[in-house]
Amino acid sequence: MENQDKIICSELFQKQRKVEVVLYPAVLAWKEIEKSSKRSSGTSESEHVQTVKVCEIVAVHKTEDEADAQLRSHPKRINQPSQQYPHAFTVSYVRRTRQHLWRCADVTFHCADQQICEQWVQVINEQLSLLTNRPKNLLVYINPYGGKRRGERIYEQKVAPVFRRAGIFTDVIVTERANHARDHLKMEANLDDYDGVVCVGGDGMFSEILHGLVTRIQTDHGVDQNQPDAELVPCSLRIGIIPAGSTDCICFATQGTNDPVTSALHIVVGDSQPMDVCSVHHNGVFLKYSVSLLGYGFYGDVLTDSERNRWLGPARYDLSGFKTFLSHNYYGGTVSFLPADDNVGHPRDKLQCRSGCRICQHKHSSKDEHDEASEEKEKPAEDSDRGWSVIHGKFIAINSASMSCACPRSPKGLSPSAHLADGTTDLILVRKCSRLDFFRHLLRHTNNDDQFDHWFVEVHRVRKFRFQPWHPDLAPLEDASEHPESPDLSPISSLQETYDDRTAESSWNCDGEILHHTAIQVSVQCQLIRLFARGIEEQQDAEVAV
Ligand SMILES: Nc1ncnc2c1ncn2[C@@H]1O[C@H](COP(=O)(O)OP(=O)(O)OP(=O)(O)O)[C@@H](O)[C@H]1O
Ligand SMILES: CCCCCCCCCCCCC/C=C/[C@@H](O)[C@H](CO)NC(C)=O
Ligand SMILES: [Ca+2]
């Protein structure tokens, strides 16, 4: 960067070393100025330049208290360099550590002149005020009962201090019952007072916030959510997720970690990540929205069983997962789907959705394609099925993953290449197979092997799908799609005794909530909401060249 880019430049002290500090429009940089006996000028510049992007500065504060305190406690040290520079200011900024973790780091600069110190604080604050994407007022909902019941503590100890440092004002509501946050957002909250809503809890709590906010916006705009083809109005308020639940899949899949401080910092810097939302209907009646997993069969049964053991906290999913695996149930039904266009890739293409994802950006700019497609609803009934594929079968699991669904249990997720904001969901059909085969499939969620590379698994990227469980009287006697060479190798007859595959129905797990209908119609609403996130960063950002 050239001299003319400099907003302010001073020689200051940092940790007993003399440094040249420069503020450029987008970067704060400092480098040590070493004393050199060889040079007549007495100084030389070391090559090592440290930089912080202005957009990753959390705050700047005058630190006169610290300097004064040092002087008061050690008056004899007046000749030490730092005491010749009694005025100081501290810049708090985002520091990346391992595995997508962000931390708030501080660097303090000392100077001799009070005016210079104040000038630095002022110009940095002026630069920060140009960052208009940063929230100033947030509405925070805390679920005190999510996960290990640490929501309030996590917020007070790890998040509130970061918000305070960044000068963010908050209104905090600790929920008193399930759906408290949803109802407050739907009917009471004055949304004009806020730049965003923060959810402290797990995926279920996020689901409450999502429903409260999306429903409120549709009501305010007179949109009827019961119409499956209604064009929903996107939410202008962003949602921040402070993970304090059991799975925290939505947080993990959008920032690469489920760490409260990292989430707080993504909120402070004003990140924005658009996200798809699936709307779920039953016979023209709106049921729910989903952003992560809609799972019938295995994940529906795991959730149903785990709800009975909520007191176990996150461990309830392990117990129920094990029991459900042993039960080895499968369910008959018909799945119909409308495949996505080719330009959004394929679930097995290994093009993972990352920060600034091209596929998600492309989709955003090609809204016209959707408008054309939505004209389908004008066509006669028989034409409305054009382009749809239909699959009948017995399934151990039917999963629709609108994002990767990565979480600590499965770091690559249910569909590793699913995209956050491409207007599609990955429909994964796991057909009836042996228990051993299903175990192999599950195991691949935890390692690098391809979980779709099995004869009994198929995966489609779709814009819409429907599911109809088989009516007991109409169910075919045998499923022609079953693999003849792979009989169940390890039947556990005692667990199967009461199981009748002609009448059995599972339930849908909708982002951790149970749906009360099994026949559903699902439609992806492209980029309906935005999070305070940026997607998973590819790698640590290289230092900015100055
Ligand atoms: N004050 C409250 N009392 C009881 N239940 C609540 C309260 N506030 C919210 N809930 C409900 O608690 C349920 C679970 O919350 P949450 O998602 O935070 O944790 P979790 O289920 O442990 O985590 P995950 O969803 O990530 O598996 C949600 O469905 C939410 O509606
Ligand atoms: C033999 C080892 C098998 C391990 C199998 C691990 C597979 C884990 C996949 C987890 C995907 C979770 C998707 C997210 C679902 C959430 O919406 C929901 C609510 O938090 N959580 C669950 C567990 O249903
Ligand atoms: Ca998607």
Side-chain angles (χ1 to χ4, degrees):
M1 284 181 208
E2 297 303 322
N3 272 349
Q4 65 263 30
D5 286 325
K6 291 179 183 175
I7 296 172
I8 182 173
C9 172
S10 309
E11 285 189 6
L12 307 173
F13 255 90
Q14 191 238 339
K15 285 190 180 163
Q16 318 286 336
R17 290 170 310 175
K18 200 172 189 184
V19 287
E20 183 190 56
V21 189
V22 186
L23 181 67
Y24 299 95
V27 176
L28 173 71
W30 63 99
K31 62 185 172 192
E32 190 174 352
I33 304 167
E34 288 172 339
K35 285 235 186 305
S36 165
S37 52
K38 288 181 195 159
R39 290 197 174 193
S40 54
S41 70
T43 60
S44 74
E45 290 171 359
S46 88
E47 288 308 305
H48 187 63
V49 181
Q50 285 181 272
T51 58
V52 171
K53 289 182 189 167
V54 169
C55 62
E56 292 183 358
I57 292 178
V58 172
V60 58
H61 292 292
K62 234 182 125 187
T63 29
E64 58 200 334
D65 292 350
E66 184 207 336
D68 288 350
Q70 279 187 19
L71 267 183
R72 274 196 301 274
S73 54
H74 303 289
K76 287 185 186 155
R77 292 192 193 164
I78 194 79
N79 287 328
Q80 285 191 358
S82 64
Q83 300 315 332
Q84 292 164 9
Y85 296 82
H87 305 283
F89 64 95
T90 298
V91 179
S92 306
Y93 62 95
V94 169
R95 186 163 53 85
R96 287 170 177 75
T97 67
R98 65 199 157 81
Q99 308 250 334
H100 309 291
L101 278 185
W102 282 15
R103 286 289 170 266
C104 190
D106 285 341
V107 56
T108 298
F109 298 107
H110 297 262
C111 48
D113 187 328
Q114 181 174 2
Q115 257 187 329
I116 291 182
C117 182
E118 281 167 3
Q119 196 186 356
W120 267 96
V121 174
Q122 190 191 331
V123 288
I124 293 178
N125 271 328
E126 277 167 11
Q127 291 306 108
L128 293 182
S129 69
L130 300 176
L131 304 171
T132 50
N133 54 343
R134 293 193 170 197
K136 293 185 181 67
N137 297 287
L138 294 170
L139 177 55
V140 181
Y141 294 99
I142 304 176
N143 175 4
Y145 297 110
K148 294 181 181 160
R149 302 183 171 213
R150 291 186 187 149
E152 279 181 278
R153 213 178 335 149
I154 287 172
Y155 182 75
E156 283 311 326
Q157 293 180 356
K158 300 190 169 185
V159 177
V162 179
F163 286 171
R164 269 197 294 274
R165 196 176 314 185
I168 293 176
F169 297 99
T170 51
D171 284 331
V172 180
I173 297 176
V174 179
T175 61
E176 289 164 11
R177 58 176 173 83
N179 293 325
H180 180 172
R182 184 199 65 184
D183 296 344
H184 186 260
L185 275 167
K186 249 193 208 176
M187 292 171 294
E188 282 178 57
N190 188 356
L191 300 184
D192 294 337
D193 289 349
Y194 304 103
D195 306 305
V197 178
V198 174
C199 160
V200 185
D203 297 328
M205 186 62 182
F206 177 85
S207 178
E208 275 201 32
I209 305 289
L210 169 76
H211 284 83
L213 207 50
V214 174
T215 303
R216 171 72 175 272
I217 305 284
Q218 308 320 309
T219 310
D220 288 355
H221 288 82
V223 176
D224 180 4
Q225 296 178 104
N226 285 321
Q227 300 296 324
D229 286 325
E231 191 162 326
L232 301 180
V233 178
C235 296
S236 51
L237 287 188
R238 280 166 287 171
I239 307 174
I241 310 174
I242 306 296
S246 301
T247 316
D248 296 324
C249 144
I250 302 162
C251 179
F252 197 97
T254 52
Q255 64 186 29
T257 181
N258 57 336
D259 171 65
V261 174
T262 305
S263 291
L265 290 168
H266 280 287
I267 295 170
V268 165
V269 301
D271 274 346
S272 182
Q273 171 65 50
M275 206 159 74
D276 297 338
V277 176
C278 286
S279 58
V280 187
H281 287 79
H282 168 78
N283 288 343
V285 176
F286 170 73
L287 295 182
K288 280 262 182 195
Y289 293 115
S290 161
V291 295
S292 58
L293 168 69
L294 262 167
Y296 184 80
F298 185 73
Y299 287 104
D301 294 353
V302 169
L303 187 67
T304 305
D305 188 74
S306 71
E307 283 300 299
R308 293 181 208 122
N309 297 311
R310 237 182 201 286
W311 59 274
L312 275 175
R316 70 191 186 278
Y317 288 133
D318 298 326
L319 176 67
S320 301
F322 186 62
K323 282 167 70 182
T324 308
F325 170 75
L326 289 183
S327 305
H328 198 57
N329 291 336
Y330 53 89
Y331 303 93
T334 300
V335 184
S336 325
F337 59 87
L338 186 62
D341 303 331
D342 291 341
N343 59 6
V344 286
H346 186 272
R348 296 185 68 181
D349 64 13
K350 307 236 184 290
L351 295 175
Q352 294 189 321
C353 187
R354 290 290 177 262
S355 208
C357 173
R358 286 218 194 124
I359 288 180
C360 293
Q361 281 174 9
H362 172 77
K363 208 60 208 171
H364 185 54
S365 61
S366 63
K367 200 168 182 302
D368 301 351
E369 290 171 34
H370 281 272
D371 293 344
E372 270 169 39
S374 68
E375 282 167 18
E376 267 173 24
K377 63 183 175 221
E378 307 291 331
K379 294 177 187 167
E382 59 270 27
D383 271 7
S384 67
D385 281 346
R386 191 177 291 160
W388 284 70
S389 301
V390 180
I391 295 176
H392 306 277
K394 290 177 183 171
F395 304 99
I396 290 181
I398 298 172
N399 299 324
S400 151
S402 299
M403 56 169 71
S404 69
C405 293
C407 59
R409 274 188 181 74
S410 172
K412 61 178 186 172
L414 288 179
S415 191
S417 298
H419 289 270
L420 290 170
D422 64 343
T424 76
T425 184
D426 288 354
L427 185 60
I428 306 158
L429 307 178
V430 184
R431 287 178 186 269
K432 181 183 169 191
C433 62
S434 72
R435 197 177 272 110
L436 184 62
D437 273 343
F438 187 55
F439 179 75
R440 286 191 184 116
H441 167 66
L442 284 183
L443 199 59
R444 288 187 182 185
H445 290 80
T446 63
N447 60 32
N448 279 331
D449 295 341
D450 179 358
Q451 64 256 48
F452 304 136
D453 188 16
H454 295 288
W455 65 265
F456 54 91
V457 179
E458 58 186 284
V459 58
H460 306 272
R461 188 153 285 172
V462 311
R463 281 174 28 215
K464 296 180 182 197
F465 74 93
R466 304 181 200 130
F467 175 72
Q468 182 66 50
W470 282 344
H471 188 279
D473 300 335
L474 301 176
L477 281 173
E478 202 41 72
D479 175 18
S481 65
E482 274 172 48
H483 199 273
E485 287 150 29
S486 268
D488 189 335
L489 298 175
S490 52
I492 295 187
S493 50
S494 59
L495 283 167
Q496 299 284 58
E497 264 166 16
T498 52
Y499 185 74
D500 178 350
D501 68 5
R502 287 166 55 78
T503 55
E505 276 195 16
S506 176
S507 354
W508 283 96
N509 173 340
C510 176
D511 291 356
E513 306 287 305
I514 293 164
L515 291 186
H516 298 295
H517 290 277
T518 46
I520 58 169
Q521 300 87 49
V522 178
S523 177
V524 187
Q525 312 287 325
C526 189
Q527 307 193 358
L528 189 65
I529 58 167
R530 285 185 303 146
L531 298 188
F532 284 112
R534 58 173 63 176
I536 298 175
E537 288 184 304
E538 201 71 68
Q539 60 197 31
Q540 307 269 326
D541 268 5
E543 278 194 353
V544 182
V546 178

